[in-house]
C-alpha cells in the first residue's frame, strides 16, 4: 500500500505570470520527470520566454510561505490561449504533485475562461497526464496526431466545458 501525499495546506497564491518568471517556468518545463525517457524530445530546448508570457494568459501558483527571489517559489503554472481557446501549458513541480495543486490551477483556468466568455477550452494532453485530465473533469474528444520530430507519438485531446456560474 502506497501513501498519498497530503493536500496543499500551505498558503498558495495564484498570480499572473510576469516576464521575470520566464526562466523559472522554462526550468519547470524542462525539468519535469513526466518528460524523461521517450518523452524528452517534447521539451528538449523548450523555452517559456517573456514574449510568450505577455502574449497569453499565463498564471503561476506560488508558495506564499517560501521566498525564492520575488514572490515566492513557483510550484506550477498554466497558460490559457483565448483564440482558439486552448490550455496550452499546465505544469506542476515534481515535488508538489499529488497535493491538489493541478486541480487548483485547472479551477483557476476555468474561472479565467468563463470571465473571457469562453464556453469550452481544448487541451492536447501529454499521454501520462491523461488520467489527471479525466479526474479534473475534461472530456476526451479525440486524438492529436504525432508531429515529428519533437512529438513522435499521438496524444489524447480533451475539452473542458465551461459552465456559467
Amino acid at each position: 500500500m502506497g501513501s498519498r501525499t497530503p493536500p496543499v495546506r500551505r498558503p498558495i497564491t495564484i498570480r499572473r505570470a510576469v516576464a521575470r518568471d520566464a526562466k523559472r517556468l522554462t526550468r519547470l518545463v524542462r525539468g519535469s520527470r513526466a518528460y524523461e525517457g521517450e518523452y524528452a524530445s517534447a521539451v528538449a530546448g523548450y523555452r517559456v520566454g517573456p514574449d510568450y508570457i505577455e502574449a497569453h494568459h499565463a498564471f503561476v501558483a506560488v508558495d506564499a510561505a517560501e521566498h525564492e527571489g520575488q514572490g515566492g517559489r513557483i510550484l506550477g503554472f498554466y497558460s490559457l490561449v483565448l483564440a482558439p481557446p486552448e490550455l496550452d501549458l499546465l505544469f506542476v513541480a515534481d515535488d508538489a504533485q499529488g497535493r491538489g495543486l493541478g486541480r487548483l490551477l485547472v479551477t483557476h483556468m476555468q474561472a479565467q475562461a468563463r470571465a473571457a466568455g469562453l464556453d469550452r477550452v481544448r487541451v492536447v494532453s501529454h499521454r501520462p497526464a491523461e488520467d489527471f485530465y479525466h479526474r479534473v473533469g475534461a472530456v476526451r474528444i479525440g486524438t492529436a496526431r504525432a508531429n515529428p520530430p519533437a512529438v513522435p507519438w499521438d496524444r489524447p485531446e480533451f475539452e473542458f466545458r465551461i459552465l456559467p456560474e
Side-chain angles (χ1 to χ4, degrees):
M1 272 180 31
S3 64
R4 258 190 80 110
T5 307
V8 174
R9 295 197 196 289
R10 297 174 72 152
I12 302 296
T13 301
I14 298 179
R15 65 165 171 79
R16 188 79 185 247
V18 294
R20 73 174 179 266
D21 295 324
K23 287 181 182 177
R24 292 193 287 169
L25 300 185
T26 296
R27 280 195 305 271
L28 188 61
V29 170
R30 289 185 187 174
S32 174
R33 284 193 313 256
Y35 285 90
E36 291 178 334
E38 69 177 297
Y39 300 114
S41 65
V43 296
Y46 195 89
R47 179 179 168 271
V48 180
D51 52 336
Y52 179 90
I53 290 170
E54 293 190 19
H56 303 295
H57 287 75
F59 288 85
V60 296
V62 296
D63 185 337
E66 293 184 28
H67 298 287
E68 178 184 293
Q70 298 264 336
R73 178 176 169 239
I74 293 178
L75 300 174
F77 79 101
Y78 76 87
S79 174
L80 175 64
V81 176
L82 298 182
E86 181 175 5
L87 176 59
D88 188 40
L89 298 171
L90 174 63
F91 281 83
V92 173
D94 292 334
D95 64 347
Q97 291 181 9
R99 299 179 184 175
L101 188 58
R103 182 177 295 275
L104 185 66
L105 287 168
V106 165
T107 299
H108 189 273
M109 178 277 301
Q110 290 170 315
Q112 291 296 310
R114 186 177 301 107
L118 304 176
D119 64 352
R120 56 194 68 230
V121 173
R122 172 183 175 260
V123 60
V124 176
S125 174
H126 179 48
R127 287 192 323 209
E130 186 170 2
D131 287 341
F132 165 77
Y133 284 110
H134 280 296
R135 287 193 312 272
V136 294
V139 176
R140 176 89 187 248
I141 59 170
T143 301
R145 297 291 168 213
N147 184 18
V151 186
W153 53 84
D154 292 345
R155 294 157 293 154
E157 186 176 1
F158 291 91
E159 185 176 83
F160 285 101
R161 301 205 172 111
I162 308 300
L163 303 174
E165 282 191 298

